[in-house]
Amino acid sequence: MQEISDVRYLSRRVAGLKPSGIRKFFDIAATMKDVISLGIGEPDFTTPRPILEAGIRSLQAGETHYTSNSGKLEVRQAVADNLVKLYGVKYDPVNEIILTVGVSEALYLTFTAILDPGDEVIIPTPCFVSYQAEVILAGGVPVEIPSRFEDRFQLDPERIRAAITPKTKAIFVGYPCNPTGAVAERETLQQVAEMAIEHNLLIVSDEIYDRLVYNFQHVCIPSLGDEIKKRTILLGGLSKAYAMTGWRIGYACGPAEIIKGLVRIHQYTIMSAPTTAQDAALEALRNGEPHVQEMVAEYDRRRRLIVEGLNSLGLVTFEPRGAFYAFPRIAASGMDDEVFAEKLLQEEHVAVVPGNAFGLGGEGFVRCSYATAYEKIEEALHRMEKFMTRYG
Ligand SMILES: Cc1ncc(COP(=O)(O)O)c(C=O)c1O
């Protein structure tokens, strides 16, 4: 009989995946008392009451069954209506939109649907930790293109062009950006989109933070023109703007042929996004705007506090115009980002995430989330001041 130790349990693909650099810091922080976490990537707000109540009503009405694989049509219609209202972008809710279990699932479906083994996806970094992993899980190859502080963490069209090979299948775009807080400028997006047309590539655009922008008008990539829309898979979701991370609702929009592929995978893996959450999402999409505005105003207040505070400590911070992260350069401390985050946690009980967790270009920075109470940010800055007095 074959020994258990001879059996390769995990596929090479899975065994080779790096654990997320974010988790490690949460695990250490969880063992300590009195930690202020600026490490968190989700709203500190509870889901607004009317949205929550829509979920409760749904359960009480006995809405406890599967829905259509693509999700309830009225919710897809509400996603479509919102995209028209916000960006003038039209998708047919019947065959161009699928509701997913967060953008996380939408990423998985998208890459599994479009990639053959060895296909390359160009991914500007630093970026959300799942992109590279999802590409690898789908058998593809992530090609990281670092963006730079000096360029306000914008896409660099020339570096993207230089990375295109005959194996390139898609260019990934993720703005507003986690972890830098950068927003994408229209002209740069236009250049990258034209490059995709020229080289016959797809664009995958994660716009989950589209509503969390500060004195900036978000540019939705498919709004740049029909030719671009035809080759774009737009991903979005309710987790961030409506404080609904635990409900798990996201969506993917794109050409019917591609969405059909996503639905095929989804029907064999997920069946349908959670029904209660779909009903709550409907309330959010139809009537949630005042709550979004209220939360954005509070994030903005915290954003100004943290950016000014970090800069005054010599931790040079680019002004984030989107999402809820500040991304200071920590060179003044004389440490690398990993040591900085570890010492800050051990000595001052403030948790931040080392920038290298977000891919190339993140080294030398740390991510500080301001999705935490104003007073806690004040206290975190106070502790960081003590830290920088010792090391700065
Ligand atoms: C840029 C980005 N995309 C996608 C996600 C996943 O969001 P969800 O699966 O909750 O929709 C996150 C979560 O942190 C994120 O920061």
Side-chain angles (χ1 to χ4, degrees):
M1 214 174 73
Q2 198 177 18
E3 289 288 321
I4 281 189
S5 57
D6 292 341
V7 180
R8 183 198 283 277
Y9 282 108
L10 296 178
S11 67
R12 251 180 246 130
R13 248 184 7 247
V14 173
L17 281 184
K18 277 195 305 190
S20 157
I22 296 184
R23 273 270 65 95
K24 187 176 110 187
F25 277 81
F26 280 154
D27 292 346
I28 303 176
T31 65
M32 302 169 83
K33 282 207 180 102
D34 185 31
V35 170
I36 297 182
S37 182
L38 304 181
I40 297 175
E42 66 169 327
D44 57 318
F45 301 107
T46 308
T47 307
R49 197 81 215 167
I51 302 174
L52 219 136
E53 280 165 1
I56 294 169
R57 274 200 309 278
S58 163
L59 285 171
Q60 285 172 335
E63 290 285 321
T64 55
H65 303 274
Y66 297 128
T67 68
S68 124
N69 288 139
S70 302
K72 290 188 172 189
L73 185 56
E74 57 194 326
V75 186
R76 283 181 274 149
Q77 180 72 59
V79 170
D81 292 347
N82 245 20
L83 290 170
V84 169
K85 193 165 67 196
L86 291 166
Y87 309 117
V89 173
K90 284 198 187 115
Y91 284 104
D92 178 354
V94 174
N95 54 22
E96 294 184 325
I97 299 180
I98 173 177
L99 301 183
T100 58
V101 179
V103 169
S104 301
E105 192 218 344
L107 286 163
Y108 172 77
L109 297 180
T110 300
F111 292 129
T112 305
I114 66 171
L115 297 180
D116 282 313
D119 281 351
E120 295 173 359
V121 180
I122 293 176
I123 304 181
T125 56
C127 69
F128 176 49
V129 292
S130 294
Y131 302 151
Q132 292 93 325
E134 295 285 5
V135 169
I136 292 168
L137 283 174
V141 179
V143 177
E144 296 187 22
I145 303 292
S147 56
R148 294 181 304 199
F149 176 87
E150 295 74 16
D151 301 331
R152 301 178 315 286
F153 292 108
Q154 287 297 297
L155 298 168
D156 183 335
E158 283 325 305
R159 290 169 107 186
I160 290 175
R161 185 185 293 284
I164 295 175
T165 74
K167 293 203 158 198
T168 308
K169 186 74 187 266
I171 301 174
F172 191 89
V173 182
Y175 287 94
C177 177
N178 169 10
T180 64
V183 290
E185 288 159 14
R186 177 180 290 274
E187 243 170 61
T188 320
L189 284 180
Q190 191 85 44
Q191 283 177 48
V192 172
E194 274 156 24
M195 209 179 296
I197 296 173
E198 185 188 328
H199 293 271
N200 196 23
L201 304 174
L202 292 169
I203 296 175
V204 182
S205 184
D206 175 1
E207 302 186 17
I208 192 168
Y209 290 104
D210 67 335
R211 308 306 320 286
L212 305 187
V213 285
Y214 314 99
N215 313 315
F216 182 80
Q217 175 62 47
H218 172 72
V219 182
C220 180
I221 293 196
S223 74
L224 293 175
D226 271 354
E227 276 308 304
I228 293 162
K229 179 167 173 262
K230 268 192 238 164
R231 58 183 64 247
T232 298
I233 304 159
L234 168 67
L235 312 182
L238 286 91
S239 286
K240 313 291 178 174
Y242 301 97
M244 290 180 73
T245 45
W247 297 83
R248 312 305 304 126
I249 294 290
Y251 51 84
C253 311
E257 272 312 299
I258 295 182
I259 295 301
K260 204 195 280 175
L262 270 66
V263 174
R264 207 171 296 158
I265 308 162
H266 176 82
Q267 78 186 3
Y268 290 129
T269 48
I270 304 291
M271 299 273 273
S272 56
T275 306
T276 317
Q278 290 191 42
D279 286 335
L282 185 62
E283 171 65 23
L285 291 163
R286 283 186 177 162
N287 303 314
E289 189 57 23
H291 305 292
V292 175
Q293 291 312 325
E294 227 173 89
M295 289 187 272
V296 167
E298 177 57 18
Y299 288 135
D300 191 18
R301 201 167 78 92
R302 300 169 183 181
R303 178 183 76 105
R304 284 179 272 127
L305 170 71
I306 201 165
V307 171
E308 198 184 312
L310 291 169
N311 274 319
S312 73
L313 299 179
L315 300 170
V316 182
T317 305
F318 142 94
E319 192 198 342
R321 306 282 298 276
F324 38 53
Y325 309 102
F327 202 56
R329 176 142 66 182
I330 46 97
S333 69
M335 300 173 207
D336 71 22
D337 47 308
E338 198 79 32
V339 173
F340 181 95
E342 232 167 282
K343 275 188 184 285
L344 184 64
L345 183 57
Q346 300 290 1
E347 297 178 18
E348 295 295 340
H349 296 193
V350 175
V352 298
V353 184
N356 76 74
F358 305 98
L360 291 180
E363 320 82 25
F365 295 83
V366 295
R367 188 188 77 175
C368 304
S369 161
Y370 50 89
T372 194
Y374 193 89
E375 297 69 29
K376 285 193 185 169
I377 297 172
E378 280 180 323
E379 172 60 21
L381 286 168
H382 179 62
R383 294 182 189 184
M384 288 171 95
E385 185 179 1
K386 285 197 279 172
F387 186 76
M388 287 306 287
T389 309
R390 282 200 297 283
Y391 296 109

